[in-house]
Each structure stands twice: as structure tokens, then as C-alpha cells.
Amino acid sequence: MRDRSKLSERQRGILRFMETYLETQGFPPTIREIGEATGINSTSVVNYNLNKLVDAGFLERASSKSRGIRLVTTTGKSLPKQVVASNNIVRVPLVGQIVASAPVAVPDDVGYYFDEDDLIDVSVWLLGGADPSEVFALRVKGDSMIDAMIGDGDIVIFRKQNYAENGDMVAVWLDERGETTLKRFFHENDRIRLQPEHPTMKPIYVDPAHCHVQGRVLSVIRHIG
Amino acid sequence: MRDRSKLSERQRGILRFMETYLETQGFPPTIREIGEATGINSTSVVNYNLNKLVDAGFLERASSKSRGIRLVTTTGKSLPKQVVASNNIVRVPLVGQIVASAPVAVPDDVGYYFDEDDLIDVSVWLLGGADPSEVFALRVKGDSMIDAMIGDGDIVIFRKQNYAENGDMVAVWLDERGETTLKRFFHENDRIRLQPEHPTMKPIYVDPAHCHVQGRVLSVIRHIG
DNA sequence: ATTGTAACCGAACATTCATTCTATTGTCAA
DNA sequence: TTGACAATAGAATGAATGTTCGGTTACAAT
């Protein structure tokens, strides 16, 4: 159940189209629109595959209602009440983990590859206006970021970029230390000051040539309970 | 623009119905369904008022498409691209601020009063299975929670409750100190140990009679960007 | 009184749309 | 080979649905 790899190529295409259509239109597509988008020439075949997707638990349908198709959440729960289908939600790829001893590995096609199930829904206001296609998320491993008020298991949302403005909170790779860290970024004369978020911690200073910005922090999400 | 009080009662009703319909169905209603729900006997009148709501900036319509109505988000931006109408989102009331020197004031009807604009959309996975009707959010004011890795401006999501289990992260009001704080909760013999999240900080011990749990922390959201 | 206008109703109309039925193709096992 | 079955195509059907138009009411301005 809920394993996309068990689906046919067409069914995966339908799911993909459903997601992007909902993203761009705010309401579900008709079976005809699905057919055109996925190269299916018959409405009955779309209908057939939609029902397959319902059986597989990926969709729900309201029978005899136009556009009566909805995506079932990845949480597995059939359908929670009190749930809102609002359209200020962005689906962000959770591409991996921050490990202090390795640079952040960010695929080039962030935001355009939607086959993974590792997508998290976040409110647009957490993106601060950034283009959702260049946003990605990482899960923090370990307590090395604790001076930035970021702990083990936290999810950090980044905008992918290799530069930074003064005061930006960024993930930087430090050649000298051989690790990635999260700090506030300040360009000072010929060096760069990296200021921890915690007021009692001291800043560190590095050579611009040996520090590589990997992304700017937009938001932090911590789930506890 | 975007002032509900300027709308007619019918138009407000249409907006309300749009929201609840989307919440429960996952796709927009037809004009006929809107009419039945709001006591309008003519589809043309619904159409008329829908266009008014478009003019007022509350809705957008895709002409000639069934159910081609979408709510415009309160962010003011005309229409976010790349936006998803997924249904694992919960709307949580943002009821106020945590002030270290005052108890948290939680209205009794949390979750049932939806006329306010102070609602934030969060993913259900941040609730950890809690009933959305008993969930609320607070914005943290000041740095008094920094040892719990929670900073100024962070949004904390709570489940309203006046008890706690060992190890729970809770907001507690301390009579002796006259402040609310966020700590991990441990019942030890005749006293209660409140353990800061930060490993280098020491716990504090209080008398059970003088500490009042106000809610359990489910998640923390920090927007930086 | 007359005019103009916003809000409303009812009905007719034209599509859009989901459903259903029949038929064809390909695959795999008996 | 034959039979069963999944997947597909095409077309027909009817219900669902958005749009339009003529007419009505209420109210304020002229």
C-alpha cells in the first residue's frame, strides 16, 4: 500500500499531473484534462486508472461530481476531519540530512523532481516570498547546531543559493573545519564573520576563499510531541 | 480591499461556505451547491455574487470550468504559483503571545471560532495526532525560552491540557517565579523537575502545588527569512 | 413622478463532464 | 492453442453545471 513503484507509468503520471494541476489551479482536473496531459486518448481509461489509484490508496473520488478527485495524504490516515484544503501551501522536497562533517548535498533539479515521497507541506509564509522551486528542506542530525537554536531532528527550510547578504542565516561549508554549520553571515573587510544565533556564543572568523555558502535558511520546524 | 465587513451578508456566507466546503471536500463547490447552502434560489444570483467577490479580491474564477473557484490567500499576493491544495493541512488559531511574566491566556473555545484572520496553516504531521480542535499556537516574545531552543518570534504549537506526562515538553506557570516557562516535565517523588532542553542548563525543581501546566508543546516553527 | 442602479428571480440554453457499453490488443498460464 | 484477464480505445448517453437573458423589486437621487 502506498508504494508508487508498484504503480504503472501512467498511474504515476496521473498522480504527478494531479499534484501540479492542484498546485497551479487550486482545484482538481477533469478526467479529460488528465487524459490530455498524460497522453490517454479515452476518458474511460482515465477513469479506469483513477479507480486503480483509489484502490491503491492514493486518491479519493466523489462519484458523479465533476472534478471530484482528491489526493490522499501521505500520512496514511484515511481522511482527517477539520482539515483544510487551503491554497497557501507549498510542497517542499526533503532532500536529506545535515551532517556536520559533510557538505550539504543538494541536487541541481531541486523542486522539479517530484517522484519522491519525501515531500513536506509547509505554509507559504515560511518561505518569505522565495520561489518554491528553489526551496528545499533538510533534517538536522546531531546537536552541532545547538548554538543556532537548532536541535537534533529539526527540519530546516532553505533557499538554494551560493551567496549571502549581511545578516543572512546560512548554511556554510568551512574548508578548515571540514564541516557544515548554520550561522549568521557578515562580510567584514577581508574576512567573514559567522555569528552564532545564541547570544552568549562567540563568532568565528573565516577566509572568504574557504567558506562556501550552500543555502539561506528560511525557516526551522521542530516537531516534538 | 479585502475587508469582509464591506461585503453583504450573502457574500460573507458564500466565503464561509467556500472555506468549509473546501475543508471537508477537498475541491470547490458548484454554484448550485453554494446556492443551496446559502439560501439563494437562483444560480444567476450566486454567479452575480461570486463575481462581486472576485472584484473584491476574495476569489478567483476559471471561467466555464465546473467548480472553477478558488479562494485567494490572505497574504494579499494575487495568486501564488506552485501552490498546492493538499488536504493534510490544519488551520490553527494563533491566540496570542507567550510573555514570560504572565500566564498563557487560552480561550475556552479554541478551534471553534473561525472568524478571525489569525489562523495559521500547518501540516497535520506537526500535530502528532492531536485533535485539531484543541490545538492552538502562540508567538514567543523575548528570549526567556532560549534554553529550550526557542527564540524571539518563534511560533509554538500547543495541545491544550492541564496535566503532563514524564518527559513532555510543556508550558508551565510557576507561582514562585511569577512566569510561564517551557521545559520538559518530570514527576520525581514529591516534587517536579523541569528540565531545560539545552544540555548545559540545570533543571529546576518546584512544588507540584505551585506549578500549573497550561499546554503541551507539539511543534515549534521559526521563520527567519 | 421619473430615472438609475444594485440585488434578485426564474427559466432556457449550451457545454462540460462522468459514466457506461462494446470492442480490440497483449500477456500469461493452463 | 485456448482461455482468462488487465489495459486500452472509441463512442454514446445523460446528468451536472456555467452562462445568459428577460423581468422584478427596493431604494435613492434627480
Side-chain angles (χ1 to χ4, degrees):
Chain A
M1 186 80 90
R2 299 278 320 171
D3 183 358
R4 284 203 186 195
S5 65
K6 284 190 157 41
L7 301 175
S8 74
E9 190 48 52
R10 276 193 164 171
Q11 286 161 8
R12 272 194 294 272
I14 289 176
L15 279 185
R16 260 197 306 272
F17 176 67
M18 277 289 296
E19 288 164 359
T20 60
Y21 191 100
L22 281 167
E23 287 169 16
T24 56
Q25 302 305 124
F27 47 83
T30 67
I31 61 180
R32 260 161 265 263
E33 288 168 330
I34 294 173
E36 288 168 20
T38 57
I40 299 177
N41 299 317
S42 173
T43 58
S44 65
V45 176
V46 177
N47 190 57
Y48 174 84
N49 283 291
L50 284 177
N51 288 332
K52 289 289 173 186
L53 286 167
V54 171
D55 292 342
F58 288 91
L59 296 180
E60 291 185 348
R61 299 187 71 185
S63 79
S64 293
K65 298 200 166 183
S66 68
R67 301 172 191 272
I69 316 171
R70 54 177 165 247
L71 290 168
V72 170
T73 70
T74 55
T75 65
K77 297 178 182 175
S78 60
L79 186 67
K81 276 291 183 194
Q82 285 263 0
V83 139
V84 98
S86 120
N87 39 0
N88 40 0
I89 295 299
V90 185
R91 192 161 284 185
V92 172
L94 186 59
V95 296
Q97 295 185 338
I98 280 191
V99 182
S101 56
V104 175
V106 180
D108 275 326
D109 52 8
V110 155
Y112 293 110
Y113 199 68
F114 281 104
D115 248 351
E116 283 304 321
D117 241 351
D118 289 324
L119 298 169
I120 58 173
D121 289 327
V122 301
S123 315
V124 284
W125 60 268
L126 287 177
L127 269 53
D131 184 348
S133 68
E134 52 187 8
V135 171
F136 62 99
L138 292 171
R139 186 179 294 276
V140 173
K141 190 75 180 175
D143 282 314
S144 63
M145 312 294 181
I146 201 155
D147 58 349
M149 291 199 303
I150 295 174
D152 186 28
D154 290 3
I155 288 176
V156 183
I157 297 176
F158 292 88
R159 177 181 182 277
K160 186 187 175 190
Q161 59 183 49
N162 54 14
Y163 60 91
E165 317 250 298
N166 274 348
D168 279 355
M169 179 95 159
V170 290
V172 286
W173 170 256
L174 303 176
D175 286 342
E176 301 156 11
R177 300 184 175 214
E179 67 174 26
T180 297
T181 186
L182 250 48
K183 296 281 188 302
R184 286 208 182 272
F185 180 99
F186 294 94
H187 213 118
E188 286 185 354
N189 306 319
D190 285 336
R191 63 184 187 177
I192 286 172
R193 183 176 105 237
L194 297 174
Q195 180 78 44
E197 190 72 8
H198 200 296
T200 67
M201 303 286 287
K202 289 190 178 149
I204 65 176
Y205 297 91
V206 294
D207 181 350
H210 299 109
C211 100
H212 310 284
V213 174
Q214 314 207 291
R216 178 164 63 89
V217 177
L218 299 175
S219 298
V220 181
I221 299 173
R222 178 181 314 142
H223 177 51
I224 295 173
Chain B
M1 183 83 88
R2 300 278 318 174
D3 184 359
R4 284 204 185 194
S5 64
K6 285 191 157 38
L7 300 175
S8 74
E9 191 46 54
R10 276 192 165 173
Q11 287 159 9
R12 272 194 293 274
I14 290 175
L15 279 184
R16 258 196 305 274
F17 176 67
M18 277 288 297
E19 289 163 358
T20 61
Y21 192 100
L22 280 169
E23 286 169 17
T24 55
Q25 302 306 122
F27 47 84
T30 67
I31 60 179
R32 261 162 262 262
E33 287 169 330
I34 295 173
E36 287 168 19
T38 58
I40 299 177
N41 298 317
S42 173
T43 59
S44 64
V45 176
V46 178
N47 190 56
Y48 173 84
N49 283 292
L50 285 177
N51 289 332
K52 289 288 174 189
L53 286 166
V54 171
D55 293 343
F58 289 90
L59 296 180
E60 292 187 349
R61 299 186 71 184
S63 79
S64 292
K65 298 197 167 185
S66 69
R67 303 172 191 270
I69 315 170
R70 52 176 165 247
L71 289 169
V72 171
T73 69
T74 54
T75 64
K77 298 176 182 176
S78 61
L79 183 67
K81 278 290 183 193
Q82 289 263 0
V83 139
V84 98
S86 113
N87 40 0
N88 41 359
I89 296 300
V90 184
R91 192 162 283 183
V92 173
L94 185 60
V95 296
Q97 296 183 338
I98 278 192
V99 182
S101 57
V104 175
V106 180
D108 274 327
D109 52 8
V110 156
Y112 292 108
Y113 200 68
F114 280 105
D115 249 350
E116 281 305 315
D117 245 351
D118 287 326
L119 297 169
I120 59 174
D121 288 328
V122 301
S123 315
V124 284
W125 58 268
L126 286 178
L127 270 53
D131 184 348
S133 68
E134 53 185 9
V135 171
F136 62 100
L138 292 170
R139 187 180 294 276
V140 172
K141 190 75 178 175
D143 282 314
S144 63
M145 314 292 182
I146 202 155
D147 58 349
M149 292 199 303
I150 296 173
D152 188 27
D154 290 3
I155 288 176
V156 183
I157 297 176
F158 293 88
R159 178 181 182 279
K160 186 185 175 189
Q161 59 183 50
N162 55 13
Y163 59 93
E165 316 251 299
N166 273 349
D168 280 353
M169 178 95 159
V170 290
V172 286
W173 169 257
L174 303 176
D175 286 340
E176 301 155 11
R177 301 185 174 212
E179 66 174 25
T180 298
T181 185
L182 251 48
K183 296 279 188 301
R184 285 207 182 273
F185 180 99
F186 294 95
H187 213 118
E188 288 186 354
N189 305 320
D190 285 337
R191 62 185 188 176
I192 285 172
R193 181 175 106 237
L194 297 174
Q195 180 77 45
E197 190 71 9
H198 200 298
T200 67
M201 304 285 289
K202 289 190 178 148
I204 64 177
Y205 297 91
V206 295
D207 181 349
H210 299 108
C211 100
H212 309 284
V213 174
Q214 314 206 292
R216 180 165 62 90
V217 177
L218 300 175
S219 298
V220 180
I221 300 174
R222 178 181 313 142
H223 177 50
I224 295 173

